[in-house]
């Protein structure tokens, strides 16, 4: 019985270490996604400033349609990048939460196994 408990404790400890490692990797991925989101937001702000400057400039002639189309495409790309970055951040946050919960659960299970092993040792003694 003691051997079985020790094996189960070892298995749970290994699972806890694996979950903790996965949580660390997910936290790093979430950090990278947050950085990408920050960069995308900066790009959106820059494009908004460029748009504001362009809107303030007096229009003397008909704007170049190619330039307008390029700027519209740039704006659409910036919005798409921002949306994708936000989605990545949310996905990684949820994954980190799930892994943290799993790690906590495994820690509790390992603690319960250690306590059960200690009680079994006391009964045996």
């Amino acid at each position: 019985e003691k051997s079985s408990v020790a094996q189960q404790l070892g298995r749970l400890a290994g699972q806890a270490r694996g979950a903790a490692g996965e949580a660390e990797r997910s936290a790093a991925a979430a950090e990278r996604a947050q950085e990408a989101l920050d960069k995308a937001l900066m790009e959106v702000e820059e494009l908004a400033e460029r748009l504001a400057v362009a809107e303030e400039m007096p229009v003397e002639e008909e704007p170049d349609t190619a330039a307008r189309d390029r700027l519209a495409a740039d704006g659409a790309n910036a919005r798409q990048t921002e949306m994708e970055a936000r989605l990545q951040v949310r996905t990684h946050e949820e994954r980190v939460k799930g892994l943290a919960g799993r790690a906590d659960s495994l820690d509790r299970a390992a603690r319960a196994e250690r306590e059960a092993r200690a009680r079994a040792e006391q009964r045996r003694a």
Side-chain angles (χ1 to χ4, degrees):
E1 181 180 327
K2 182 178 179 181
S3 174
S4 172
V5 169
Q7 286 176 346
Q8 189 174 11
L9 180 61
R11 183 178 45 79
L12 289 172
Q15 288 178 349
R17 283 190 302 272
E22 183 66 23
E24 288 175 15
R25 288 188 295 277
S26 292
E31 186 176 323
R32 287 191 305 273
Q34 183 65 45
E35 290 170 1
L37 175 61
D38 293 341
K39 181 181 175 186
L41 290 173
M42 288 175 57
E43 289 176 8
V44 167
E45 288 176 16
E46 178 185 334
L47 289 172
E49 288 175 14
R50 286 174 51 192
L51 177 62
V53 168
E55 287 176 343
E56 290 175 2
M57 295 176 69
V59 178
E60 297 172 2
E61 59 185 52
E62 186 66 27
D64 181 21
T65 57
R68 185 188 65 215
D69 292 344
R70 183 181 49 79
L71 290 174
D74 287 348
N77 287 339
R79 283 189 296 275
Q80 180 66 28
T81 302
E82 177 189 10
M83 191 169 45
E84 289 172 1
R86 285 182 187 269
L87 180 61
Q88 283 182 337
V89 167
R90 297 287 186 266
T91 300
H92 289 300
E93 285 174 347
E94 290 300 319
R95 192 170 182 198
V96 166
K97 284 179 187 178
L99 289 172
R102 182 175 172 218
D104 288 343
S105 173
L106 290 171
D107 282 341
R108 283 192 303 273
R111 196 174 317 118
E113 285 297 321
R114 283 193 290 272
E115 291 170 0
R117 191 168 92 186
R119 285 192 303 271
E121 184 65 31
Q122 287 175 350
R123 282 194 308 266
R124 189 172 83 31

